[in-house]
């Protein structure tokens, strides 16, 4: 049987070592927030998309392919059937049968082959996409895992050694198998539309929230001029920010860095992924994919949708800067991001439309 | 103008990040406010505006999530401003049920009960008596799957959230945050003052209706002993085939 036949059937992979926080994620569970159902979904949805694109799984209005997501340390898996896979999001030391492989590129793998994804050398969240997409039951329209409510993914939990998961050709593939193996998309800041040169501190853009004006002037200034450290206490639910000044000036750490003009106890309101909330302790928390649907802490702002993937990739302990932008600017960035996506899809389509021509071409 | 439509319009519409608008209906979470929000929410559903992903009603507001690549913010805002509701539409189907929820207020479960009592110069028994005396209206479901936000907490036991949220609050925990009270349906981090725990399962993603409590229901808490808690917990486990 040729690979074309095999990929029409189920292909199975087995988890040998699970890595860290390895779960099945797609773009998230939309449409049920009014029941309090958390969106979940990939922390870096952009990298999830590209990982899937690299193996021909198309994101569209209908297509929402799932992949494995892992944090800082990737999983080791055995393949039991012929398939193709790609790793994207961050840079990872990875081997296929002990041969070093690249991230950002699709590979073929067959029965008995072992893929080891070790530690991330850059970034925090990685995605392993498999041709056809990970096949687990859709719960409320999504395959994303939300561990706290034990919903979706593989029995609502992180993957463990011995778990067998399947990928299935579902007919919504962009590209036939075996034709996409030469496409290489390196992972760096430019893939998020930023500059090629990475700056030591990533600037995350946000639009003002309802309670921004309730911050006193000193706090507003501090919020956007200070560097903020992503706390080790951060997870899929939220990234906690700490001011680096806390450790150097112990006497100042008694008073919060950010203060409202007057104490404010608010009724709970709907959240967004990216909402920057301010608990009374004074250190802001940016809500991430597993964010509660509603919350009652004052909202200083909301991270621009396009910057959520970049923010997710900042490791605990690294510093970020925060920059206020207008809503119009945020929407313009979304439009630019969509154009970038269209170019990536076009690049892959064009690349594959004439395999022989493309094989000899170096300018793609 | 048709036959005297009760013009209900949003008080204000503001942005909630770059992919949602927040429609505010007032400052007080009254029953009237609830009816207006839910009537408005149903109208948003009926319009099925392309690019609108979903809407989430809260105490005094409604978030409308949208895809800015499909619908322009100004177009959406205009569509929302044009929603007007008649008197009839305001009479939201009266489907609210009355639920009696068993809660054990023992120290073992109510880790912050003593703190809440101390803040208000009450005994823990008095706090429990006040908490179980009221009937609570379910204003909204949110925060976590199936989490009911209950209105009607006595100001005598209203207590601000914890300064720093707990990293884990056990499923079934009953808490207070400001003038709100509620039940954690699943294990979760959270900042509410925890005063007790119910043996009920409030959320089950495999059930036909995952949420045990719905917006519009009325909830009353019934104090039970630790022994009763264990019995109910056991019964539920048998029911679930565990």
């Amino acid at each position: 049987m040729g690979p074309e036949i095999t990929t029409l059937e189920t292909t199975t992979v087995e988890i040998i070592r699970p890595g860290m926080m390895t779960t099945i994620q797609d773009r998230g569970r939309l449409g049920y927030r009014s029941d309090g159902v958390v969106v979940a979904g990939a922390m870096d949805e952009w990298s999830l998309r590209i990982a899937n694109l690299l193996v021909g799984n198309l994101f569209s209005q209908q297509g929402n392919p799932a992949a494995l997501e892992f944090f800082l340390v990737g999983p080791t898996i055995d393949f039991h059937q012929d398939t193709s896979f790609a790793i994207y999001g961050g840079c990872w030391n990875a081997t296929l049968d002990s041969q070093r492989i690249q991230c950002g590129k699709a590979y073929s793998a067959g029965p008995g082959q072992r893929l080891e994804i070790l530690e991330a050398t850059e970034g925090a969240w990685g995605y392993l996409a498999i041709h056809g997409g990970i096949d687990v039951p859709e719960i409320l329209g999504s395959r994303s895992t939300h561990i706290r409510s034990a919903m979706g993914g593989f029995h609502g939990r992180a993957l463990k050694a011995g778990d067998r998961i399947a990928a299935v050709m579902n007919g919504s593939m962009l590209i036939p198998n075996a034709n996409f193996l030469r496409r290489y998309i390196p992972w760096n800041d430019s893939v998020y539309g930023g500059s090629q040169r990475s700056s030591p501190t990533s600037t995350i853009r946000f639009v003002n929230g309802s309670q921004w004006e309730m911050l006193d002037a000193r706090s507003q200034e501090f919020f956007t001029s200070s560097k903020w450290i992503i706390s080790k206490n951060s997870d899929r639910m939220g990234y906690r920010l700490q001011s680096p000044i806390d450790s150097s000036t112990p006497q100042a750490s008694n008073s919060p860095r950010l203060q409202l003009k007057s104490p404010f106890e608010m009724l709970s309101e709907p959240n967004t992924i990216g909402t920057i909330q301010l608990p009374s302790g004074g250190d802001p928390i940016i809500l991430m994919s597993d964010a509660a649907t509603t919350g009652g802490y004052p909202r200083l702002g909301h991270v621009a949708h396009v910057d959520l993937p970049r923010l997710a990739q900042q490791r605990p302990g690294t510093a970020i800067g925060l920059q206020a932008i207008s809503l119009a600017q945020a929407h313009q960035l979304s439009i630019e991001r969509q154009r970038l996506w269209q170019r990536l899809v076009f690049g892959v389509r064009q690349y594959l439309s004439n395999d022989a021509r493309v094989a000899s071409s170096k300018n793609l | 103008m048709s036959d005297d439509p009760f013009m209900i319009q949003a008080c204000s519409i503001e942005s909630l990040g770059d992919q949602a608008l927040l429609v505010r209906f007032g400052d007080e979470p009254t029953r009237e406010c609830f009816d207006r929000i839910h009537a408005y929410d149903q109208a948003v559903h009926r319009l099925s505006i392309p690019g609108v992903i979903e809407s989430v009603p809260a105490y005094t507001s409604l978030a409308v999530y949208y895809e800015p690549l499909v619908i322009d913010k100004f177009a959406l805002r205009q569509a929302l401003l044009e929603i007007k509701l008649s008197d009839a539409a305001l009479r939201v189907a009266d489907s609210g049920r009355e639920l009696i929820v068993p809660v054990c207020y023992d120290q073992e479960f109510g880790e912050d009960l003593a703190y809440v009592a101390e803040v208000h110069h009450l005994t823990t028994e008095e706090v429990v008596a006040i908490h179980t005396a009221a009937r609570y209206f379910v204003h909204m479901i949110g925060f976590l799957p199936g989490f009911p936000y209950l209105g009607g907490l006595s100001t005598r036991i209203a207590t601000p959230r914890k300064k720093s949220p707990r990293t884990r609050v056990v499923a079934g925990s009953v808490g207070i945050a400001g003038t709100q009270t509620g039940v954690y349906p699943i294990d979760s981090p959270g900042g509410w003052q925890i005063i007790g725990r119910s043996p009920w399962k409030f959320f089950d993603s495999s059930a036909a209706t995952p949420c045990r409590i719905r917006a519009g229901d009325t909830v009353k808490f019934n104090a039970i002993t630790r022994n009763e808690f264990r019995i109910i917990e056991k019964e539920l486990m048998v029911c679930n085939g565990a």
Side-chain angles (χ1 to χ4, degrees):
Chain A
M1 281 205 297
E4 294 81 4
I5 309 258
T6 311
T7 52
L8 289 171
E9 297 165 355
T10 302
T11 179
T12 313
V13 297
E14 183 178 345
I15 308 294
I16 304 302
R17 281 191 293 275
M20 268 173 65
M21 292 173 69
T22 303
T23 57
I24 294 165
Q25 299 293 343
D26 57 19
R27 73 180 152 205
R29 193 163 278 113
L30 297 173
Y32 299 93
R33 272 183 271 202
S34 56
D35 281 336
V37 174
V38 167
V39 174
M43 289 287 280
D44 176 355
E45 193 217 348
W46 187 243
S47 289
L48 171 80
R49 279 192 193 211
I50 295 172
N52 274 303
L53 180 67
L54 285 165
V55 294
N57 301 339
L58 184 61
F59 261 72
S60 66
Q61 210 73 346
Q62 296 80 31
N64 183 14
L68 295 191
E69 177 187 88
F70 37 88
F71 180 65
L72 299 178
V73 180
T76 296
I77 68 165
D78 279 359
F79 293 96
H80 291 309
Q81 271 93 28
D82 286 312
T83 188
S84 312
F85 70 87
I87 303 164
Y88 206 77
C91 297
W92 304 78
N93 284 326
T95 61
L96 182 64
D97 282 348
S98 306
Q99 298 288 307
R100 188 69 188 262
I101 57 164
Q102 274 183 301
C103 298
K105 199 172 179 308
Y107 290 87
S108 291
Q113 287 201 284
R114 175 165 292 188
L115 170 66
E116 283 188 274
I117 308 173
L118 304 169
E119 76 286 353
T121 54
E122 279 180 63
W125 298 92
Y127 296 88
L128 172 65
I130 294 173
H131 183 56
I134 303 290
D135 187 44
V136 288
E138 284 195 358
I139 305 290
L140 305 178
S142 166
R143 296 184 173 87
S144 286
T145 313
H146 181 238
I147 293 176
R148 287 196 181 88
S149 57
M151 197 191 296
F154 190 83
H155 304 296
R157 62 167 169 81
L159 293 166
K160 291 185 205 162
D163 288 345
R164 281 167 168 259
I165 54 173
V168 166
M169 184 92 166
N170 60 20
S172 67
M173 297 308 100
L174 177 62
I175 316 154
N177 194 9
N179 280 346
F180 45 82
L181 297 176
R182 290 175 215 94
R183 179 68 179 157
Y184 174 52
I185 305 175
W187 183 86
N188 55 39
D189 226 29
S190 69
V191 89
Y192 298 99
S195 73
Q196 202 94 34
R197 208 174 303 129
S198 63
S199 76
T201 308
S202 286
T203 299
I204 302 299
R205 294 160 290 193
F206 71 96
V207 294
N208 287 352
S210 303
Q211 282 77 43
W212 173 256
E213 294 299 332
M214 295 184 72
L215 274 182
D216 61 40
R218 185 200 60 85
S219 297
Q220 283 186 356
E221 213 278 317
F222 185 80
F223 187 71
T224 48
S225 62
S226 174
K227 297 284 172 244
W228 293 94
I229 310 285
I230 312 259
S231 153
K232 301 249 188 290
N233 208 358
S234 298
D235 57 17
R236 282 184 48 89
M237 200 167 168
Y239 276 19
R240 288 160 188 259
L241 305 183
Q242 290 171 323
S243 167
I245 297 168
D246 282 351
S247 52
S248 55
T249 54
Q251 78 280 7
S253 70
N254 294 329
S255 67
R257 310 274 131 233
L258 302 175
Q259 238 160 357
L260 298 176
K261 288 169 188 163
S262 57
F264 180 63
E265 188 77 21
M266 63 178 263
L267 288 168
S268 289
E269 287 180 3
N271 283 333
T272 69
I273 296 173
T275 293
I276 308 168
Q277 58 180 24
L278 185 68
S280 49
D283 279 335
I285 301 173
I286 305 180
L287 300 179
M288 301 298 278
S289 295
D290 281 358
T293 57
T294 57
Y297 289 119
R299 293 93 191 284
L300 303 183
H302 308 268
V303 170
H305 188 73
V306 296
D307 276 353
L308 287 169
R310 275 177 58 239
L311 172 62
Q313 293 291 1
Q314 308 302 313
R315 295 170 179 227
T318 56
I320 59 165
L322 293 161
Q323 181 196 353
I325 59 170
S326 70
L327 189 63
Q329 284 173 303
H331 284 158
Q332 186 55 36
L333 290 168
S334 282
I335 292 166
E336 285 163 19
R337 180 64 55 85
Q338 181 63 10
R339 288 197 189 119
L340 184 57
W341 174 245
Q342 283 159 352
R343 280 202 299 278
L344 284 170
V345 174
F346 180 76
V348 171
R349 276 184 195 278
Q350 194 189 42
Y351 191 78
L352 295 160
S353 60
N354 186 338
D355 196 45
R357 178 177 61 82
V358 167
S360 62
S361 167
K362 292 275 180 265
N363 59 7
L364 290 156
Chain B
M1 286 285 254
S2 58
D3 46 311
D4 189 34
F6 177 57
M7 302 264 285
I8 155 194
Q9 275 169 304
C11 294
S12 69
I13 299 180
E14 61 191 66
S15 281
L16 187 70
D18 58 3
Q19 299 209 326
L21 292 177
L22 189 73
V23 189
R24 291 191 186 277
F25 293 83
D27 297 322
E28 294 298 323
T30 59
R31 178 62 203 243
E32 190 220 341
C33 191
F34 177 93
D35 289 344
R36 289 171 67 200
I37 292 167
H38 284 259
Y40 194 90
D41 187 33
Q42 285 170 13
V44 172
H45 277 269
R46 275 196 303 274
L47 281 175
S48 23
I49 305 162
V52 168
I53 298 160
E54 58 189 307
S55 52
V56 175
Y59 273 113
T60 57
S61 59
L62 179 78
V64 179
Y65 296 85
Y66 67 99
E67 172 49 75
L69 297 170
V70 178
I71 185 161
D72 173 81
K73 176 215 161 189
F74 299 103
L76 177 58
R77 195 187 152 85
Q78 193 52 41
L80 293 178
L81 282 172
E82 280 168 13
I83 293 176
K84 291 175 181 65
L85 299 171
S86 67
D87 231 0
L90 266 175
R91 285 193 291 273
V92 177
D94 189 22
S95 61
R97 305 160 299 171
E98 179 143 347
L99 301 170
I100 312 273
V101 177
V103 176
C104 178
Y105 292 91
D106 275 23
Q107 173 77 41
E108 179 190 349
F109 299 133
E111 292 174 71
D112 302 318
L113 180 61
Y115 172 79
V116 171
E118 192 192 316
V119 166
H120 298 283
H121 309 291
L122 296 168
T123 64
T124 55
E125 289 78 9
E126 285 168 330
V127 174
V128 172
I130 293 166
H131 195 252
T132 51
R135 286 156 45 88
Y136 302 98
F137 182 70
V138 183
H139 284 272
M140 58 186 268
I141 302 293
F143 173 53
L144 287 171
F147 185 95
Y149 283 82
L150 306 176
L153 182 72
S154 166
T155 51
R156 292 170 65 201
I157 55 171
T159 314
R161 285 178 181 76
K162 299 184 79 66
K163 281 215 188 309
S164 191
R166 275 198 177 87
T167 50
R168 182 169 179 260
V169 176
V170 176
S173 293
V174 175
I176 289 174
T179 56
Q180 303 171 85
T181 184
V183 185
Y184 280 77
I186 59 173
D187 290 358
S188 155
W192 293 40
Q193 308 284 355
I194 303 304
I195 60 167
R197 195 186 301 169
S198 172
W200 278 17
K201 299 278 165 273
F202 293 92
F203 184 82
D204 179 1
S205 66
S206 65
T209 48
C211 300
R212 179 90 191 231
I213 298 176
R214 294 193 297 255
D217 288 345
T218 304
V219 166
K220 198 168 185 305
F221 294 110
N222 180 33
I224 57 169
T225 64
R226 200 179 316 180
N227 205 25
E228 288 169 318
F229 181 97
R230 298 295 177 209
I231 291 166
I232 299 170
E233 191 178 44
K234 218 166 159 185
E235 279 170 359
L236 285 171
M237 269 158 72
V238 172
C239 288
N240 294 338

